[in-house]
């Protein structure tokens, strides 16, 4: 999101946190409220996924609208999360589930065991109407790590899917981001010409170290707080997330056994 927002929504490609507002999270509390949907009723929210997306696209008929979601595209009680009329394409960020556990544990202040269980079971986020974060007020249907990964792959069948490994994005940022820009333009059959200066600034200002520095200097709007009202750093581990040292052996083995097929497919395990 940082790379995309800096490239498409700034004049010079230099990233600042306020650029992220151009990429809304879905489901979005304010949008659902705007159209009269009761966000405290999850069934009503689910019934209106497509209606809200239709409205978003009508309001942005001649442009590409970027949306972030943690949801998987499940069909719940006959209601689809999205469809081909409303989703131009999918950039799916996958991360080694063994690393996800540690970051998930930090962000939600859960034990390593509880975080592992969240990946293994059909989980939801949010539904906390009194939360200080808007994104946490509305329910997001995650599923398991593997079901989430597999359901978004459906868009691969219609050539509207790009898989990006978080680890590759960190190690080979320039190459991966260039592929992302080409993918985005290709979805609309637009000719892509790289803005060299903007591209260079995007890469430099969205490094993990720079994002950490920005968070230390200013408030990151998606940071959560502890029960004692202390801010939890969002940009904490990044590439230094060493699951080999921090995850108990039994949990590592459980994750690898449960997600073996997907982890082999995405290069996190050898066949």
């Amino acid at each position: 999101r940082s790379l995309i927002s800096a490239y498409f929504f700034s004049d010079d490609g230099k990233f600042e946190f306020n650029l992220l507002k151009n990429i809304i999270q879905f489901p979005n509390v304010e949008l659902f409220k705007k159209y009269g949907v009761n966000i405290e009723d999850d069934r009503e929210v689910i019934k209106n996924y497509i209606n809200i997306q239709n409205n978003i696209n009508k309001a942005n008929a001649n442009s590409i609208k970027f949306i972030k979601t943690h949801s998987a595209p499940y069909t719940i009680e006959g209601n689809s999360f999205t469809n081909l009329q409303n989703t131009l394409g999918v950039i799916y960020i996958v991360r080694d589930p063994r690393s996800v556990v540690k970051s998930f544990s930090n962000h939600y202040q859960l034990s390593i065991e509880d975080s592992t269980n969240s990946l293994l079971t059909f989980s939801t986020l949010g539904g906390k109407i009194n939360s200080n974060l808007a994104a946490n007020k509305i329910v997001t249907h995650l599923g398991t790590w593997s079901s989430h990964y597999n359901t978004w792959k459906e868009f691969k069948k219609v050539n509207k899917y790009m898989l990006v490994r978080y680890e590759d994005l960190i190690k080979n940022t320039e190459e991966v981001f260039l592929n992302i820009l080409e993918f985005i333009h290709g979805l609309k059959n637009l000719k892509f010409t790289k803005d060299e200066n903007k591209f260079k600034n995007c890469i430099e200002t969205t490094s993990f170290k720079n994002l950490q520095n920005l968070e230390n200097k200013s408030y990151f709007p998606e940071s959560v707080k502890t029960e004692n009202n202390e801010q939890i750093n969002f940009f904490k581990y990044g590439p230094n997330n060493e699951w080999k040292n921090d995850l108990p052996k039994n949990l590592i083995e459980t994750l690898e056994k449960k997600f073996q097929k997907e982890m082999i497919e995405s290069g996190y395990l050898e066949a």
Side-chain angles (χ1 to χ4, degrees):
R1 277 189 306 152
S2 300
L3 286 160
I4 288 173
S5 63
Y7 194 88
F8 286 97
F9 302 112
S10 75
D11 294 327
D12 55 11
K14 293 181 179 179
F15 177 73
E16 296 177 359
F17 284 147
N18 67 351
L19 292 173
L20 291 175
K21 68 180 184 295
N22 294 289
I23 302 179
I24 64 169
Q25 179 158 310
F26 192 90
N28 178 282
V29 170
E30 296 307 319
L31 269 176
F32 277 73
K33 282 184 175 180
K34 178 181 176 181
Y35 293 105
V37 179
N38 179 10
I39 64 165
E40 296 183 44
D41 186 338
D42 187 37
R43 299 181 95 176
E44 282 302 304
V45 170
I46 291 168
K47 287 178 183 177
N48 282 280
Y49 282 154
I50 299 298
N51 291 335
I52 301 298
Q53 290 173 35
N54 283 334
N55 285 316
I56 291 172
N57 286 323
K58 284 177 184 176
N60 300 273
N62 298 315
S63 64
I64 296 176
K65 181 71 175 177
F66 295 98
I67 288 176
K68 162 201 170 181
T69 187
H70 288 300
S71 292
Y74 300 118
T75 297
I76 302 174
E77 296 182 355
N79 301 288
S80 299
F81 176 73
T82 190
N83 55 28
L84 288 172
Q85 288 69 46
N86 284 291
T87 296
L88 180 66
V90 173
I91 300 169
Y92 189 87
I93 311 296
V94 68
R95 190 177 189 183
D96 189 325
R98 296 165 297 192
S99 295
V100 173
V101 166
K102 187 175 175 182
S103 290
F104 196 88
S105 175
N106 171 68
H107 187 66
Y108 291 102
Q109 293 295 282
L110 298 172
S111 69
I112 291 294
E113 290 75 14
D114 286 344
S115 296
T116 301
N117 193 51
S118 293
L119 269 65
L120 294 166
T121 57
F122 197 99
S123 302
T124 61
L125 292 176
K128 300 174 182 177
I129 200 66
N130 295 318
S131 174
N132 63 319
L133 288 179
N136 288 343
K137 294 177 186 289
I138 202 163
V139 176
T140 296
H141 295 267
L142 292 174
T144 66
W145 182 88
S146 58
S147 67
H148 196 284
Y149 169 82
N150 286 320
T151 49
W152 279 111
K153 275 197 310 183
E154 286 297 304
F155 283 85
K156 188 175 182 179
K157 296 176 181 177
V158 288
N159 298 317
K160 293 179 177 291
Y161 175 85
M162 180 180 184
L163 178 69
V164 175
R165 297 199 332 160
Y166 171 87
E167 295 79 6
D168 295 336
L169 189 59
I170 292 290
K171 291 179 183 177
N172 306 305
T173 310
E174 291 188 36
E175 178 185 349
V176 174
F177 185 45
L178 183 60
N179 291 338
I180 289 171
L181 292 175
E182 290 173 344
F183 173 75
I184 291 168
H185 285 76
L187 289 170
K188 293 281 281 185
N189 296 315
L190 299 173
K191 182 181 178 182
F192 171 61
T193 303
K194 182 172 73 169
D195 184 318
E196 294 288 353
N197 184 59
K198 208 179 229 192
F199 187 86
K200 176 175 174 289
N201 287 338
C202 284
I203 301 299
E204 290 178 354
T205 59
T206 59
S207 69
F208 192 79
K209 187 66 178 174
N210 191 63
L211 294 175
Q212 281 186 315
N213 290 336
L214 278 176
E215 184 174 24
N216 290 332
K217 292 176 183 176
S218 61
Y219 174 68
F220 179 59
E222 293 173 34
S223 292
V224 295
K225 294 183 178 180
T226 65
E227 292 180 357
N228 297 322
N229 209 35
E230 295 176 355
Q231 185 170 317
I232 301 167
N233 282 350
F234 185 86
F235 300 100
K236 187 171 182 178
Y237 301 120
N240 297 318
N241 187 330
E242 295 292 338
W243 58 265
K244 292 178 183 178
N245 300 325
D246 298 316
L247 259 62
K249 185 178 179 181
N250 67 305
L251 296 184
I252 293 173
E253 291 175 349
T254 298
L255 289 167
E256 291 176 350
K257 182 179 180 180
K258 182 74 172 178
F259 302 142
Q260 182 182 37
K261 175 180 174 290
E262 292 79 13
M263 289 180 72
I264 290 173
E265 184 179 297
S266 50
Y268 296 125
L269 285 178
E270 292 185 2

